[in-house]
Amino acid sequence: MAAALAATLAACAARTMPPMPAAPAHPEYPYPAVASGAAPDQVARIERGWRYLQADNLRAAEREFQAAARAQAGFAPAEAALGFVELARRDAEDAVARFDRALAADGAYVPALVGRGQALLELNRDGEALASFEAALASDATLVEVAARVEVLRFRALQDNLARAKAAAAAGEWAEARAAYERAIAASPESGFLYRELALVERRAGETALALDHLRTAVSLDPGDAAAHAQIGAILDAQGDYAGALAAWETALAIDRTAVEEAAVRRARERLALAALPAEYRRISTSATVTRGDVAALVGVRLEGLLAGARQRQVVLTDIRGHWAAPWIAAAVRAGAMEPLPNYTFAPREIVRRAEMAQTVARVLNLIAASKPALGRAWQGARVTVADVPPGHLLHPAVSLAVASGVMPLEAGGRFNLLEAVSGAEATAIIGRLEALARP
């Protein structure tokens, strides 16, 4: 009778619902809700245990939750509740094990996902904690505090991965740098600058195609990223797509005038223009010799602005019709950069020697001096000694101008070598120097 009375009293005590404390000891723990349809005594055990837990009576709370767990195998609310007891005891490892048992029974049980995230934070396993919190949010988007934690953890992960990526890139560890950037992108997929930074690593690692894809993603996410547009231009320029490079660089410059070097843009424009020129023009620079037509084409293309600004004269040329360089021959002669022959011919196929090249250079220098008189006086006032062209020579004034301006340097022994044929590379370099002097 005494034993029966004791059992009855114990049962009555178990059914007594303790009061909920006015100031819960663990308000950050989510209540392990029981699904509708559960046995009333199971619901009551979870509620009693929870009240004990919030009163910080961990032993009583554990007793109630364990009874609920024994009464029903795989009862997720009880396993999650026991996880919160372990968290309250500062035993994060055992807490994770308990939450895992709850999730094994119900993989989408939100209190267990949240509790597991909290325990993993205690263990400094931020990446796993973030995944657990994100899973909870996927099941219940109203978890405001969990959402705030997710944002903090994402930012923290982003900063950590950025630091790792930059350190790895600085050390030339491309695989590690790339992996760190990819983790950062996973944490913040809408951040365009991350794709740009990843692309920079990929370019250094020689993965140009991947870099270009990621740069295009970067500008799609952030059209105002001048640096990404500039990198796209650099890749396309190296691939020979000068039109694409120029378009990307012009976009970058419209955003930030310092994003691209002016020289790079100028080279792209020149290459694009060169690609549109006749094949005969493109072969000039590699030719062993050049013709009058070749030189006229170089002058007409490279010094177009200078010729257009010169005083134009009427000329008649009877032998340039059908020649590939006819438009540039006419422009060079009309501007006075080159002279026709006395019989109204130009002889476009005649080989050019240094004597004639000096005359053409002198004429162009005079055109430049008309708009830059101070510069012109420097050439015209210089005294140049040429071993094989004495002051009384008919060509001395032209040779003197060509040498003094630095456009046609003297050769070995201080000689000019008037009769030496001009190569394509030499002619291209000479006109390039004139172009530099004529540039505003």
Side-chain angles (χ1 to χ4, degrees), residues 283-292 294-295 298 350-361 407-409 411 416-431 433:
R283 287 196 292 266
I284 292 175
S285 63
T286 58
S287 298
T289 59
V290 291
T291 64
R292 281 171 58 80
D294 293 338
V295 173
L298 286 171
E350 185 176 309
I351 298 298
V352 174
R353 303 186 183 279
R354 283 175 64 84
E356 184 178 359
M357 196 71 194
Q359 291 176 301
T360 297
V361 168
V407 174
M408 293 184 71
E411 297 190 342
F416 193 79
N417 296 325
L418 293 170
L419 299 180
E420 184 180 292
V422 178
S423 70
E426 185 181 6
T428 302
I430 288 169
I431 302 305
R433 295 185 195 109

Side-chain angles (χ1 to χ4, degrees), residues 267-288:
R267 285 194 299 270
R269 289 194 178 113
E270 290 170 353
R271 289 166 181 160
L272 185 59
L274 180 62
L277 291 171
E280 293 88 345
Y281 183 95
R282 296 197 297 273
R283 287 196 292 266
I284 292 175
S285 63
T286 58
S287 298

